[in-house]
Structures are given as C-alpha cells and as structure tokens.
Amino acid sequence: MNKIYPNAAAALDGVLHDGMLIAAGGFGLCGIPELLLAAIRDAGTKDLTFASNNAGVDDFGIGILLQTRQVKKMISSYVGENAEFMRQYLSGELELEFNPQGTLAERMRAGGCGIPGFYTKTGVGTVISEGKEVKSWGGQDYILEEGIFADLSIVKAWKADDTGNLIFRKTARNFNPPAAMCGKICVAEVEEIVPRGSLDPDNIHLPGIYVHRIVQGDHEKRIEQRTVRQKETA
Amino acid sequence: MMASEIKGWGRNQMAARAAQELSDGMYVNLGIGIPTLVANYVGDKDITLQSENGMLGMGPFPFEGEEDPDLINAGKQTITELNRTSYFDSATSFGMIRGGKIAAAVLGAMEVSEKGDLANWMIPGKLVKGMGGAMDLVAGVGRVIVVMDHTNKHGESKVLKECSLPLTGKAVVDLIITNLGVLEVGHKGLHILECADGVTPDDIRAATEATIV
C-alpha cells in the first residue's frame, strides 16, 4: 500500500469537508504542518475547528486560515501572538475554547488510545472546572476531561520511511505525536522520506500505524523569538 | 514609612533567593521573567531544567548563527541542548508534570492569596492570551514557588486574603518570594520566613493585605 503523495494538496484530497475537526501538531511555530495548512487554505474548506496548542501568527501557521475566515473555532492553550485572531475573537466571529496545555495534550493522547474521558487535577477550582464532573480520590478533587476524536490529524515530522514510521527532531516533536494519534486519518508532512529499513526500529517516535498519508516538502521553519548569547572575546 | 518607599530586593536578588530553594538533583520548571533568572544562581547544584514543550536539560541561548528553529523553550525562544538533554512529546511532558515528577516550579503571579490560591493568567475585560501550561504546572509539581513584586504599580498588595482575578490554581502556592521578603503559606495564614535587606517584619505586614501569623 502506498502512503506517499506527491504534494500537500494531493495528500489531503478527499479527506477535507466543511465543519470538520482537525487536530494539528506544533508548539508556537515550531514543528507545525506548514505545507498542509497552506494546502487547506488553497482548498477553501470552511467552518473548521482546530485542536492546536497555538493559533500561529498573522501570516504563518493557522494564522493564514484565520485571514481567509476558514476557522470557526479554536481549542488551544495560548493564542497570544496573533492580532487577527484577537480581532475575530473579540468581534464574535471566532469561538475559542481554552484548554490547559497538558489537558489538551492528554485529550489528544486519550482520544488516540480509545479513552473517551479521564480525570485530572489540573484546573480544579478554576473556570476550567465549571460544568465538569468532579470526583475525589484520597481527599484530592479531579475533574472529568474528554478525549479528542478528530476527523483529521495534520502533523510535521523530520523523517518518515515509506511505511509511515516517523522520527521527529528536538522540540519540534511537541504536540505532533498526540495530535497524530487522535485523528481518523493522519497526514504527515516530513523533510525527508527514506526507504523502509533505513530507520532504526528502536528509535521510531511514532509507529506508522498512526500515519496514513505522507508528503515530503521544503519547510520554511520560521523562528518566533530569536534569542542568542554573545561569544566571549579572548 | 510608606510601603511604596521600601525597595528591598531587586530582580536578581529575588532570583538568587529563589535559587536557594532548589537542591542538588532536582528537576525544575522555570517560568518566564524573573523565574528565568533563577538559572543564573544555582551555582554548583546539579539542577535539570524542564521546558514543558518537551525537553529536559535545557541549555543557554545559542551563539549567533547557531539558532535552530527545531529547538525552542516554552517561551518560544531559541535555546541549546546539553549532554544530558532528552526530548519527548507534549503528552509525556505534562505526564511528568501532572504526575509529580517535577520537584518545583518557579513562576510569576498577579495575585496570591493567604490560602495559596494563585492568579496569573487572566484579567477580565483585557486581552486574554491563555493559560498555556501554568494550570498543569501548579496543580502537578511538588512545590510551587512564586516570585513577584509585593505590590502592584498602584502600591496595592498582591498578597491578598482572597484573589480577585480568575484563578490559575486553588491552594497550590507553597512559598512567596517578593522584593520585601519570603513568605510561607501555612494552615492559618502566611508566615514571614525572611525579610529583604532594609525591610522589617512590620514593613511586610504594612504592605500585605493577607493574614500574617
């Protein structure tokens, strides 16, 4: 079975529909599926809900889908770097569901593992717990959070083999594995596709069972906050 | 003396005092701002820094020209790895946070109550950016150390009987380090553990709305 597609548009062919829930990997602009997001913009799919830790910046990442008004709702933990996001949210055009970052990651992981709900102490006694079931173990309260079951997962990895086994690089791994796990279909964009047998089976970060389609492409990999230190001069 | 005239510790002194709370072998998460400076004062102690976007063993900023877009901290700044570094996904990262494996978190605050309630993510009516990982951290780590100015820019106490802002966590703070000194959250109120240079316990009481026992 062939999982390799020639470009991002082809890799998304037949899997997009208006009103769908998409889980996207990435943290800030690090490890985001930038090629697939651009292809979704070009496809014009509307009323999308994104489960994604962040919403990109104005002209990169999910930000490009906000500019074209293709996003109905965001499920995120932090959306601070995006002026267009704020404009749409404050004017009521865009729904926003804040999830604590670890709760969002676990909701994706749980969905991918067939777990519809789990209890966590994160957010107990805060606005996050409002309307949620509370259960007590050993004198500690926990709230019920639900797994995320997405229609589609879009993720970015460093390398894939042709069977879909993925390897990520450094902190670009972040939300990509849990996001990949929770979708009915997962499309992965990678920097390099290598033949099966080239990757060390002991060092696969995400097994190919979770990955249905793969596309290789060139990535901009934009840096959000460039911080450096000076070399000491002799 | 008016509380607003008392300076006490500066940013670096507060960070240095927070570093005293960390002991050899600890895995620690440092927030943005003054908490980031704590790393400069750990001395010979073997401390491993966690970055909640998926890294243990966070190194310093890279040299110019060596920035890697795949290697950032939770503040989205470019950083470097160390010879002890490990990488993992976000679910694993918050598994170790929620699971109590991280010994301590040092973070800033807008308000702290005498019961250890913490508010640091949202001001109603103002731009809301989100809680990020703060709610998970304060609920999960072994010890929560807040580092902040004792009063706001209007000279009002940030150490309160009850927080007025939406909470990040309820009864989660263990220690409060401010420019005026160090306060511990006890069962019946706050205990003054230490006063900053030139600050008396009475100065701290005068600048604090919360109950000090």
Side-chain angles (χ1 to χ4, degrees), chain A residues 180-229:
Chain A
M181 291 164 71
C182 75
K184 285 193 198 103
I185 295 174
C186 172
V187 183
E189 60 177 68
V190 302
E191 295 177 44
E192 188 182 358
I193 300 174
V194 299
R196 66 187 71 188
S198 316
L199 301 176
D200 178 356
D202 268 332
N203 287 318
I204 302 295
H205 296 146
L206 188 73
I209 190 169
Y210 295 107
V211 181
H212 306 95
R213 300 182 178 190
I214 317 158
V215 59
Q216 185 273 329
D218 294 327
H219 291 83
E220 177 184 338
K221 297 214 283 187
R222 196 181 292 187
I223 291 176
E224 200 163 342
Q225 307 253 7
R226 191 178 297 272
T227 45
V228 296
R229 66 190 145 130

mmCIF file of all heavy atoms in Angstrom, chain A residues 180-229:
data_model
loop_
_atom_site.group_PDB
_atom_site.id
_atom_site.type_symbol
_atom_site.label_atom_id
_atom_site.label_comp_id
_atom_site.label_asym_id
_atom_site.label_seq_id
_atom_site.Cartn_x
_atom_site.Cartn_y
_atom_site.Cartn_z
ATOM 1 N N ALA A 180 -1.309 13.331 16.056
ATOM 2 C CA ALA A 180 -1.373 12.287 15.031
ATOM 3 C C ALA A 180 -2.263 11.129 15.461
ATOM 4 O O ALA A 180 -3.006 10.561 14.663
ATOM 5 C CB ALA A 180 0.038 11.771 14.717
ATOM 6 N N MET A 181 -2.189 10.797 16.752
ATOM 7 C CA MET A 181 -2.897 9.621 17.258
ATOM 8 C C MET A 181 -4.411 9.789 17.268
ATOM 9 O O MET A 181 -5.153 8.811 17.165
ATOM 10 C CB MET A 181 -2.410 9.291 18.671
ATOM 11 C CG MET A 181 -0.972 8.781 18.715
ATOM 12 S SD MET A 181 -0.277 8.851 20.387
ATOM 13 C CE MET A 181 -1.199 7.541 21.184
ATOM 14 N N CYS A 182 -4.909 11.025 17.444
ATOM 15 C CA CYS A 182 -6.335 11.210 17.737
ATOM 16 C C CYS A 182 -7.210 11.403 16.507
ATOM 17 O O CYS A 182 -8.417 11.595 16.647
ATOM 18 C CB CYS A 182 -6.540 12.344 18.725
ATOM 19 S SG CYS A 182 -6.354 14.000 18.047
ATOM 20 N N GLY A 183 -6.640 11.351 15.305
ATOM 21 C CA GLY A 183 -7.460 11.561 14.108
ATOM 22 C C GLY A 183 -7.878 10.264 13.440
ATOM 23 O O GLY A 183 -7.189 9.252 13.540
ATOM 24 N N LYS A 184 -9.034 10.302 12.747
ATOM 25 C CA LYS A 184 -9.454 9.129 11.968
ATOM 26 C C LYS A 184 -8.452 8.887 10.848
ATOM 27 O O LYS A 184 -8.148 7.759 10.496
ATOM 28 C CB LYS A 184 -10.831 9.388 11.345
ATOM 29 C CG LYS A 184 -11.975 9.308 12.327
ATOM 30 C CD LYS A 184 -13.315 9.268 11.555
ATOM 31 C CE LYS A 184 -14.469 9.633 12.462
ATOM 32 N NZ LYS A 184 -14.949 11.021 12.225
ATOM 33 N N ILE A 185 -7.980 10.003 10.257
ATOM 34 C CA ILE A 185 -6.945 9.933 9.225
ATOM 35 C C ILE A 185 -5.833 10.884 9.628
ATOM 36 O O ILE A 185 -6.107 12.002 10.059
ATOM 37 C CB ILE A 185 -7.509 10.347 7.843
ATOM 38 C CG1 ILE A 185 -8.562 9.336 7.373
ATOM 39 C CG2 ILE A 185 -6.382 10.471 6.811
ATOM 40 C CD1 ILE A 185 -9.246 9.753 6.093
ATOM 41 N N CYS A 186 -4.602 10.436 9.505
ATOM 42 C CA CYS A 186 -3.472 11.312 9.816
ATOM 43 C C CYS A 186 -2.612 11.516 8.571
ATOM 44 O O CYS A 186 -2.183 10.551 7.944
ATOM 45 C CB CYS A 186 -2.628 10.710 10.933
ATOM 46 S SG CYS A 186 -1.102 11.625 11.214
ATOM 47 N N VAL A 187 -2.382 12.786 8.243
ATOM 48 C CA VAL A 187 -1.484 13.139 7.145
ATOM 49 C C VAL A 187 -0.247 13.790 7.755
ATOM 50 O O VAL A 187 -0.358 14.741 8.538
ATOM 51 C CB VAL A 187 -2.161 14.107 6.153
ATOM 52 C CG1 VAL A 187 -1.225 14.390 4.979
ATOM 53 C CG2 VAL A 187 -3.491 13.540 5.667
ATOM 54 N N ALA A 188 0.921 13.268 7.399
ATOM 55 C CA ALA A 188 2.175 13.787 7.943
ATOM 56 C C ALA A 188 3.005 14.410 6.835
ATOM 57 O O ALA A 188 3.189 13.805 5.774
ATOM 58 C CB ALA A 188 2.964 12.669 8.620
ATOM 59 N N GLU A 189 3.508 15.631 7.076
ATOM 60 C CA GLU A 189 4.478 16.219 6.160
ATOM 61 C C GLU A 189 5.853 16.104 6.795
ATOM 62 O O GLU A 189 6.021 16.281 8.009
ATOM 63 C CB GLU A 189 4.127 17.677 5.856
ATOM 64 C CG GLU A 189 4.089 18.588 7.078
ATOM 65 C CD GLU A 189 3.811 20.031 6.689
ATOM 66 O OE1 GLU A 189 2.687 20.287 6.241
ATOM 67 O OE2 GLU A 189 4.714 20.877 6.825
ATOM 68 N N VAL A 190 6.839 15.762 5.977
ATOM 69 C CA VAL A 190 8.176 15.480 6.512
ATOM 70 C C VAL A 190 9.235 16.158 5.648
ATOM 71 O O VAL A 190 8.978 16.549 4.510
ATOM 72 C CB VAL A 190 8.441 13.951 6.571
ATOM 73 C CG1 VAL A 190 7.392 13.261 7.435
ATOM 74 C CG2 VAL A 190 8.465 13.327 5.174
ATOM 75 N N GLU A 191 10.431 16.271 6.245
ATOM 76 C CA GLU A 191 11.533 16.869 5.493
ATOM 77 C C GLU A 191 12.200 15.861 4.574
ATOM 78 O O GLU A 191 12.812 16.214 3.572
ATOM 79 C CB GLU A 191 12.552 17.469 6.470
ATOM 80 C CG GLU A 191 11.974 18.640 7.266
ATOM 81 C CD GLU A 191 12.927 19.198 8.294
ATOM 82 O OE1 GLU A 191 14.115 19.374 7.983
ATOM 83 O OE2 GLU A 191 12.478 19.443 9.429
ATOM 84 N N GLU A 192 12.089 14.575 4.948
ATOM 85 C CA GLU A 192 12.767 13.543 4.162
ATOM 86 C C GLU A 192 12.019 12.216 4.281
ATOM 87 O O GLU A 192 11.596 11.842 5.377
ATOM 88 C CB GLU A 192 14.205 13.380 4.699
ATOM 89 C CG GLU A 192 15.064 12.472 3.856
ATOM 90 C CD GLU A 192 16.467 12.283 4.450
ATOM 91 O OE1 GLU A 192 16.768 12.888 5.502
ATOM 92 O OE2 GLU A 192 17.232 11.516 3.870
ATOM 93 N N ILE A 193 11.839 11.544 3.147
ATOM 94 C CA ILE A 193 11.286 10.188 3.170
ATOM 95 C C ILE A 193 12.405 9.225 2.803
ATOM 96 O O ILE A 193 13.089 9.410 1.792
ATOM 97 C CB ILE A 193 10.113 10.026 2.173
ATOM 98 C CG1 ILE A 193 8.973 10.996 2.530
ATOM 99 C CG2 ILE A 193 9.596 8.592 2.185
ATOM 100 C CD1 ILE A 193 7.836 11.017 1.517
ATOM 101 N N VAL A 194 12.608 8.232 3.667
ATOM 102 C CA VAL A 194 13.682 7.265 3.428
ATOM 103 C C VAL A 194 13.061 5.883 3.201
ATOM 104 O O VAL A 194 11.930 5.629 3.626
ATOM 105 C CB VAL A 194 14.668 7.230 4.620
ATOM 106 C CG1 VAL A 194 15.324 8.591 4.806
ATOM 107 C CG2 VAL A 194 13.983 6.788 5.907
ATOM 108 N N PRO A 195 13.767 4.979 2.523
ATOM 109 C CA PRO A 195 13.216 3.639 2.291
ATOM 110 C C PRO A 195 13.077 2.853 3.595
ATOM 111 O O PRO A 195 13.828 3.090 4.554
ATOM 112 C CB PRO A 195 14.262 2.966 1.383
ATOM 113 C CG PRO A 195 15.165 4.054 0.912
ATOM 114 C CD PRO A 195 15.101 5.143 1.919
ATOM 115 N N ARG A 196 12.098 1.936 3.623
ATOM 116 C CA ARG A 196 11.955 1.083 4.815
ATOM 117 C C ARG A 196 13.267 0.359 5.074
ATOM 118 O O ARG A 196 13.982 0.008 4.131
ATOM 119 C CB ARG A 196 10.793 0.113 4.628
ATOM 120 C CG ARG A 196 10.969 -0.905 3.554
ATOM 121 C CD ARG A 196 9.702 -1.702 3.348
ATOM 122 N NE ARG A 196 8.639 -0.910 2.727
ATOM 123 C CZ ARG A 196 7.377 -1.348 2.591
ATOM 124 N NH1 ARG A 196 7.024 -2.541 3.045
ATOM 125 N NH2 ARG A 196 6.471 -0.598 1.999
ATOM 126 N N GLY A 197 13.582 0.189 6.342
ATOM 127 C CA GLY A 197 14.860 -0.437 6.706
ATOM 128 C C GLY A 197 15.943 0.577 7.009
ATOM 129 O O GLY A 197 16.973 0.232 7.586
ATOM 130 N N SER A 198 15.708 1.852 6.643
ATOM 131 C CA SER A 198 16.737 2.874 6.879
ATOM 132 C C SER A 198 16.688 3.429 8.299
ATOM 133 O O SER A 198 17.674 3.973 8.781
ATOM 134 C CB SER A 198 16.563 4.050 5.918
ATOM 135 O OG SER A 198 16.308 3.609 4.625
ATOM 136 N N LEU A 199 15.516 3.344 8.934
ATOM 137 C CA LEU A 199 15.391 3.890 10.291
ATOM 138 C C LEU A 199 15.593 2.774 11.309
ATOM 139 O O LEU A 199 15.173 1.637 11.096
ATOM 140 C CB LEU A 199 14.000 4.522 10.482
ATOM 141 C CG LEU A 199 13.632 5.664 9.515
ATOM 142 C CD1 LEU A 199 12.190 6.118 9.786
ATOM 143 C CD2 LEU A 199 14.599 6.832 9.656
ATOM 144 N N ASP A 200 16.238 3.100 12.406
ATOM 145 C CA ASP A 200 16.444 2.130 13.491
ATOM 146 C C ASP A 200 15.091 1.854 14.164
ATOM 147 O O ASP A 200 14.487 2.774 14.716
ATOM 148 C CB ASP A 200 17.441 2.729 14.498
ATOM 149 C CG ASP A 200 17.674 1.810 15.686
ATOM 150 O OD1 ASP A 200 17.023 0.744 15.775
ATOM 151 O OD2 ASP A 200 18.515 2.167 16.531
ATOM 152 N N PRO A 201 14.595 0.608 14.118
ATOM 153 C CA PRO A 201 13.275 0.308 14.705
ATOM 154 C C PRO A 201 13.182 0.664 16.186
ATOM 155 O O PRO A 201 12.089 0.932 16.695
ATOM 156 C CB PRO A 201 13.128 -1.204 14.514
ATOM 157 C CG PRO A 201 14.074 -1.549 13.416
ATOM 158 C CD PRO A 201 15.213 -0.575 13.508
ATOM 159 N N ASP A 202 14.327 0.683 16.879
ATOM 160 C CA ASP A 202 14.318 1.055 18.290
ATOM 161 C C ASP A 202 14.165 2.564 18.488
ATOM 162 O O ASP A 202 13.978 3.028 19.605
ATOM 163 C CB ASP A 202 15.623 0.612 18.972
ATOM 164 C CG ASP A 202 15.488 -0.778 19.578
ATOM 165 O OD1 ASP A 202 14.352 -1.146 19.951
ATOM 166 O OD2 ASP A 202 16.512 -1.470 19.696
ATOM 167 N N ASN A 203 14.306 3.325 17.423
ATOM 168 C CA ASN A 203 14.262 4.784 17.554
ATOM 169 C C ASN A 203 13.130 5.436 16.763
ATOM 170 O O ASN A 203 13.236 6.593 16.365
ATOM 171 C CB ASN A 203 15.602 5.390 17.131
ATOM 172 C CG ASN A 203 16.674 5.116 18.171
ATOM 173 O OD1 ASN A 203 16.423 5.225 19.368
ATOM 174 N ND2 ASN A 203 17.850 4.721 17.725
ATOM 175 N N ILE A 204 12.059 4.667 16.531
ATOM 176 C CA ILE A 204 10.871 5.251 15.893
ATOM 177 C C ILE A 204 10.077 5.998 16.972
ATOM 178 O O ILE A 204 9.774 5.447 18.025
ATOM 179 C CB ILE A 204 9.977 4.151 15.270
ATOM 180 C CG1 ILE A 204 10.755 3.326 14.246
ATOM 181 C CG2 ILE A 204 8.712 4.761 14.664
ATOM 182 C CD1 ILE A 204 11.205 4.075 13.023
ATOM 183 N N HIS A 205 9.764 7.263 16.749
ATOM 184 C CA HIS A 205 8.999 8.032 17.738
ATOM 185 C C HIS A 205 7.499 7.794 17.624
ATOM 186 O O HIS A 205 6.784 7.821 18.625
ATOM 187 C CB HIS A 205 9.276 9.537 17.571
ATOM 188 C CG HIS A 205 10.694 9.898 17.837
ATOM 189 N ND1 HIS A 205 11.346 10.909 17.163
ATOM 190 C CD2 HIS A 205 11.594 9.394 18.699
ATOM 191 C CE1 HIS A 205 12.584 11.003 17.612
ATOM 192 N NE2 HIS A 205 12.762 10.092 18.536
ATOM 193 N N LEU A 206 7.017 7.614 16.384
ATOM 194 C CA LEU A 206 5.589 7.332 16.186
ATOM 195 C C LEU A 206 5.466 6.229 15.138
ATOM 196 O O LEU A 206 5.856 6.421 13.984
ATOM 197 C CB LEU A 206 4.845 8.597 15.720
ATOM 198 C CG LEU A 206 3.317 8.444 15.679
ATOM 199 C CD1 LEU A 206 2.723 8.425 17.087
ATOM 200 C CD2 LEU A 206 2.679 9.541 14.850
ATOM 201 N N PRO A 207 4.910 5.081 15.521
ATOM 202 C CA PRO A 207 4.804 3.962 14.578
ATOM 203 C C PRO A 207 3.861 4.292 13.422
ATOM 204 O O PRO A 207 2.881 5.027 13.588
ATOM 205 C CB PRO A 207 4.239 2.826 15.428
ATOM 206 C CG PRO A 207 4.510 3.217 16.844
ATOM 207 C CD PRO A 207 4.461 4.717 16.867
ATOM 208 N N GLY A 208 4.134 3.741 12.269
ATOM 209 C CA GLY A 208 3.398 4.033 11.048
ATOM 210 C C GLY A 208 1.926 3.665 11.080
ATOM 211 O O GLY A 208 1.165 4.129 10.229
ATOM 212 N N ILE A 209 1.497 2.899 12.057
ATOM 213 C CA ILE A 209 0.078 2.546 12.165
ATOM 214 C C ILE A 209 -0.796 3.785 12.305
ATOM 215 O O ILE A 209 -1.948 3.806 11.901
ATOM 216 C CB ILE A 209 -0.154 1.563 13.349
ATOM 217 C CG1 ILE A 209 -1.571 0.996 13.322
ATOM 218 C CG2 ILE A 209 0.132 2.232 14.692
ATOM 219 C CD1 ILE A 209 -1.788 -0.164 14.287
ATOM 220 N N TYR A 210 -0.215 4.844 12.894
ATOM 221 C CA TYR A 210 -0.966 6.090 13.102
ATOM 222 C C TYR A 210 -0.950 7.005 11.877
ATOM 223 O O TYR A 210 -1.632 8.018 11.871
ATOM 224 C CB TYR A 210 -0.375 6.872 14.278
ATOM 225 C CG TYR A 210 -0.517 6.174 15.608
ATOM 226 C CD1 TYR A 210 0.589 5.600 16.239
ATOM 227 C CD2 TYR A 210 -1.759 6.097 16.242
ATOM 228 C CE1 TYR A 210 0.457 4.961 17.456
ATOM 229 C CE2 TYR A 210 -1.896 5.454 17.461
ATOM 230 C CZ TYR A 210 -0.781 4.884 18.069
ATOM 231 O OH TYR A 210 -0.899 4.253 19.272
ATOM 232 N N VAL A 211 -0.132 6.691 10.899
ATOM 233 C CA VAL A 211 0.116 7.630 9.790
ATOM 234 C C VAL A 211 -0.382 7.035 8.477
ATOM 235 O O VAL A 211 0.103 5.991 8.049
ATOM 236 C CB VAL A 211 1.627 7.957 9.696
ATOM 237 C CG1 VAL A 211 1.883 8.937 8.559
ATOM 238 C CG2 VAL A 211 2.137 8.507 11.023
ATOM 239 N N HIS A 212 -1.354 7.710 7.856
ATOM 240 C CA HIS A 212 -1.984 7.157 6.653
ATOM 241 C C HIS A 212 -1.443 7.730 5.359
ATOM 242 O O HIS A 212 -1.457 7.074 4.330
ATOM 243 C CB HIS A 212 -3.499 7.377 6.738
ATOM 244 C CG HIS A 212 -4.085 6.839 7.998
ATOM 245 N ND1 HIS A 212 -4.295 7.617 9.117
ATOM 246 C CD2 HIS A 212 -4.431 5.580 8.343
ATOM 247 C CE1 HIS A 212 -4.786 6.865 10.083
ATOM 248 N NE2 HIS A 212 -4.874 5.628 9.647
ATOM 249 N N ARG A 213 -1.025 8.978 5.406
ATOM 250 C CA ARG A 213 -0.523 9.623 4.198
ATOM 251 C C ARG A 213 0.721 10.437 4.554
ATOM 252 O O ARG A 213 0.782 11.051 5.621
ATOM 253 C CB ARG A 213 -1.581 10.546 3.572
ATOM 254 C CG ARG A 213 -2.858 9.815 3.164
ATOM 255 C CD ARG A 213 -3.826 10.766 2.505
ATOM 256 N NE ARG A 213 -5.036 10.056 2.070
ATOM 257 C CZ ARG A 213 -5.961 10.599 1.297
ATOM 258 N NH1 ARG A 213 -5.837 11.840 0.864
ATOM 259 N NH2 ARG A 213 -7.029 9.891 0.938
ATOM 260 N N ILE A 214 1.684 10.452 3.639
ATOM 261 C CA ILE A 214 2.949 11.160 3.880
ATOM 262 C C ILE A 214 3.252 12.032 2.672
ATOM 263 O O ILE A 214 3.057 11.607 1.527
ATOM 264 C CB ILE A 214 4.139 10.183 4.032
ATOM 265 C CG1 ILE A 214 3.781 8.978 4.906
ATOM 266 C CG2 ILE A 214 5.363 10.894 4.600
ATOM 267 C CD1 ILE A 214 4.680 7.794 4.643
ATOM 268 N N VAL A 215 3.743 13.239 2.959
ATOM 269 C CA VAL A 215 4.194 14.096 1.874
ATOM 270 C C VAL A 215 5.518 14.739 2.281
ATOM 271 O O VAL A 215 5.691 15.160 3.420
ATOM 272 C CB VAL A 215 3.131 15.158 1.506
ATOM 273 C CG1 VAL A 215 2.774 16.044 2.696
ATOM 274 C CG2 VAL A 215 3.599 16.002 0.336
ATOM 275 N N GLN A 216 6.455 14.749 1.333
ATOM 276 C CA GLN A 216 7.745 15.388 1.594
ATOM 277 C C GLN A 216 7.726 16.778 0.966
ATOM 278 O O GLN A 216 7.145 16.978 -0.106
ATOM 279 C CB GLN A 216 8.866 14.534 0.991
ATOM 280 C CG GLN A 216 10.281 15.019 1.278
ATOM 281 C CD GLN A 216 10.770 16.032 0.269
ATOM 282 O OE1 GLN A 216 10.402 16.003 -0.895
ATOM 283 N NE2 GLN A 216 11.604 16.971 0.737
ATOM 284 N N GLY A 217 8.358 17.749 1.650
ATOM 285 C CA GLY A 217 8.411 19.089 1.070
ATOM 286 C C GLY A 217 9.457 19.950 1.750
ATOM 287 O O GLY A 217 10.094 19.533 2.717
ATOM 288 N N ASP A 218 9.624 21.144 1.187
ATOM 289 C CA ASP A 218 10.574 22.101 1.773
ATOM 290 C C ASP A 218 9.853 22.963 2.805
ATOM 291 O O ASP A 218 8.774 23.483 2.531
ATOM 292 C CB ASP A 218 11.159 22.996 0.678
ATOM 293 C CG ASP A 218 12.003 22.196 -0.290
ATOM 294 O OD1 ASP A 218 12.636 21.209 0.160
ATOM 295 O OD2 ASP A 218 12.011 22.516 -1.489
ATOM 296 N N HIS A 219 10.476 23.113 3.962
ATOM 297 C CA HIS A 219 9.854 23.833 5.065
ATOM 298 C C HIS A 219 10.571 25.144 5.346
ATOM 299 O O HIS A 219 11.798 25.190 5.362
ATOM 300 C CB HIS A 219 9.850 22.961 6.320
ATOM 301 C CG HIS A 219 8.922 21.798 6.221
ATOM 302 N ND1 HIS A 219 9.269 20.633 5.595
ATOM 303 C CD2 HIS A 219 7.644 21.652 6.632
ATOM 304 C CE1 HIS A 219 8.241 19.797 5.644
ATOM 305 N NE2 HIS A 219 7.250 20.386 6.275
ATOM 306 N N GLU A 220 9.774 26.173 5.592
ATOM 307 C CA GLU A 220 10.365 27.466 5.961
ATOM 308 C C GLU A 220 10.939 27.405 7.379
ATOM 309 O O GLU A 220 11.992 27.955 7.652
ATOM 310 C CB GLU A 220 9.293 28.568 5.874
ATOM 311 C CG GLU A 220 9.817 29.932 6.305
ATOM 312 C CD GLU A 220 8.732 31.011 6.306
ATOM 313 O OE1 GLU A 220 7.713 30.857 5.620
ATOM 314 O OE2 GLU A 220 8.937 32.010 7.016
ATOM 315 N N LYS A 221 10.224 26.728 8.306
ATOM 316 C CA LYS A 221 10.637 26.608 9.715
ATOM 317 C C LYS A 221 10.992 27.967 10.319
ATOM 318 O O LYS A 221 12.119 28.234 10.713
ATOM 319 C CB LYS A 221 11.813 25.626 9.846
ATOM 320 C CG LYS A 221 11.457 24.218 9.413
ATOM 321 C CD LYS A 221 12.160 23.161 10.222
ATOM 322 C CE LYS A 221 13.590 22.966 9.839
ATOM 323 N NZ LYS A 221 14.190 21.811 10.550
ATOM 324 N N ARG A 222 10.005 28.834 10.383
ATOM 325 C CA ARG A 222 10.234 30.184 10.878
ATOM 326 C C ARG A 222 10.521 30.196 12.384
ATOM 327 O O ARG A 222 9.939 29.417 13.136
ATOM 328 C CB ARG A 222 8.989 31.032 10.592
ATOM 329 C CG ARG A 222 9.231 32.514 10.712
ATOM 330 C CD ARG A 222 7.981 33.311 10.459
ATOM 331 N NE ARG A 222 7.500 33.259 9.088
ATOM 332 C CZ ARG A 222 6.493 34.007 8.637
ATOM 333 N NH1 ARG A 222 5.895 34.844 9.458
ATOM 334 N NH2 ARG A 222 6.100 33.902 7.387
ATOM 335 N N ILE A 223 11.424 31.075 12.810
ATOM 336 C CA ILE A 223 11.746 31.244 14.238
ATOM 337 C C ILE A 223 10.917 32.392 14.800
ATOM 338 O O ILE A 223 10.872 33.478 14.231
ATOM 339 C CB ILE A 223 13.254 31.516 14.445
ATOM 340 C CG1 ILE A 223 14.069 30.256 14.117
ATOM 341 C CG2 ILE A 223 13.530 31.969 15.880
ATOM 342 C CD1 ILE A 223 15.573 30.452 14.200
ATOM 343 N N GLU A 224 10.243 32.128 15.930
ATOM 344 C CA GLU A 224 9.342 33.132 16.501
ATOM 345 C C GLU A 224 10.110 34.133 17.369
ATOM 346 O O GLU A 224 9.890 35.337 17.278
ATOM 347 C CB GLU A 224 8.268 32.421 17.323
ATOM 348 C CG GLU A 224 7.027 33.244 17.557
ATOM 349 C CD GLU A 224 5.842 32.393 17.993
ATOM 350 O OE1 GLU A 224 5.845 31.163 17.800
ATOM 351 O OE2 GLU A 224 4.898 32.967 18.555
ATOM 352 N N GLN A 225 11.010 33.663 18.216
ATOM 353 C CA GLN A 225 11.773 34.537 19.109
ATOM 354 C C GLN A 225 13.250 34.152 19.012
ATOM 355 O O GLN A 225 13.674 33.185 19.640
ATOM 356 C CB GLN A 225 11.342 34.344 20.572
ATOM 357 C CG GLN A 225 9.868 34.492 20.799
ATOM 358 C CD GLN A 225 9.541 35.775 21.511
ATOM 359 O OE1 GLN A 225 10.407 36.627 21.723
ATOM 360 N NE2 GLN A 225 8.293 35.930 21.900
ATOM 361 N N ARG A 226 13.983 34.907 18.233
ATOM 362 C CA ARG A 226 15.398 34.600 18.050
ATOM 363 C C ARG A 226 16.180 35.164 19.229
ATOM 364 O O ARG A 226 16.292 36.383 19.379
ATOM 365 C CB ARG A 226 15.892 35.199 16.738
ATOM 366 C CG ARG A 226 17.258 34.758 16.289
ATOM 367 C CD ARG A 226 17.621 35.384 14.959
ATOM 368 N NE ARG A 226 16.723 34.963 13.882
ATOM 369 C CZ ARG A 226 16.905 33.868 13.144
ATOM 370 N NH1 ARG A 226 17.952 33.108 13.349
ATOM 371 N NH2 ARG A 226 16.044 33.549 12.194
ATOM 372 N N THR A 227 16.660 34.311 20.104
ATOM 373 C CA THR A 227 17.449 34.755 21.262
ATOM 374 C C THR A 227 18.830 34.134 21.168
ATOM 375 O O THR A 227 18.970 32.942 20.884
ATOM 376 C CB THR A 227 16.784 34.321 22.582
ATOM 377 O OG1 THR A 227 16.359 32.963 22.468
ATOM 378 C CG2 THR A 227 15.582 35.199 22.896
ATOM 379 N N VAL A 228 19.863 34.956 21.377
ATOM 380 C CA VAL A 228 21.250 34.478 21.262
ATOM 381 C C VAL A 228 22.064 35.018 22.427
ATOM 382 O O VAL A 228 21.636 35.899 23.160
ATOM 383 C CB VAL A 228 21.906 34.947 19.939
ATOM 384 C CG1 VAL A 228 21.196 34.341 18.747
ATOM 385 C CG2 VAL A 228 21.919 36.457 19.840
ATOM 386 N N ARG A 229 23.274 34.419 22.609
ATOM 387 C CA ARG A 229 24.236 34.998 23.556
ATOM 388 C C ARG A 229 25.501 35.350 22.791
ATOM 389 O O ARG A 229 25.741 34.810 21.695
ATOM 390 C CB ARG A 229 24.523 34.026 24.701
ATOM 391 C CG ARG A 229 25.245 32.772 24.259
ATOM 392 C CD ARG A 229 25.309 31.734 25.362
ATOM 393 N NE ARG A 229 25.214 30.411 24.773
ATOM 394 C CZ ARG A 229 26.061 29.426 25.047
ATOM 395 N NH1 ARG A 229 27.028 29.588 25.917
ATOM 396 N NH2 ARG A 229 25.926 28.260 24.456
#
